[in-house]
Amino acid sequence: MKKMFFALVAMVMMTMSANAQSINNSKVTFDQLSSYLELTSNQIEPTKTAMAQLENSMQAYYQLQDASKAGETWEKIQARHKATMKNILNEKQYNKYVSMLDLTVKNTAERIMMQQTASK
């Protein structure tokens, strides 16, 4: 749970950092996601909205003061986001998206743990 918490904090910081960059970079990132998931024209706007909702939830999560509820809060955010994406995407797209999201969280957690170990 501690790894997940650190991974999520890092994801929020990366998201906030990415948002501070130009709008063009956000467009390129979304275009890459859109291409990877093979979104239809009807899925683009709902997906953008879902991603913005996730970002807002992550920002609120980052400001969470009670670390004892961090894991539970993340689980709720993730479940809500996955349910939203499941309603937007077809089964193949959804499976690709969930794999990508889970892998991102796992890799971020591992990278943070390696950085913490190296700094000791």
Side-chain angles (χ1 to χ4, degrees), residues 22-85:
S22 72
I23 293 173
N24 189 38
N25 285 345
S26 296
K27 182 181 180 340
V28 169
T29 301
F30 185 80
D31 288 348
Q32 290 172 339
L33 175 67
S34 178
S35 176
Y36 174 70
L37 295 177
E38 300 173 18
L39 296 179
T40 65
S41 58
N42 294 336
Q43 293 172 314
I44 291 174
E45 286 306 316
T47 301
K48 282 182 182 179
T49 301
M51 298 305 289
Q53 289 171 343
L54 176 62
E55 180 181 335
N56 291 337
S57 296
M58 292 297 292
Q59 287 175 353
Y61 174 82
Y62 179 69
Q63 296 176 12
L64 183 67
Q65 297 298 318
D66 188 354
S68 67
K69 295 183 180 178
E72 178 182 324
T73 303
W74 166 244
E75 293 298 325
K76 287 179 182 177
I77 291 170
Q78 187 177 23
R80 184 175 57 237
H81 178 67
K82 285 181 177 180
T84 300
M85 293 302 285

Side-chain angles (χ1 to χ4, degrees), residues 7 11 14 97-111:
M11 284 177 58
M14 287 186 285
Y97 181 75
V98 168
S99 294
M100 180 186 68
L101 181 64
D102 291 346
L103 184 60
T104 300
V105 170
K106 178 183 177 282
N107 287 343
T108 303
E110 288 176 1
R111 188 171 39 252

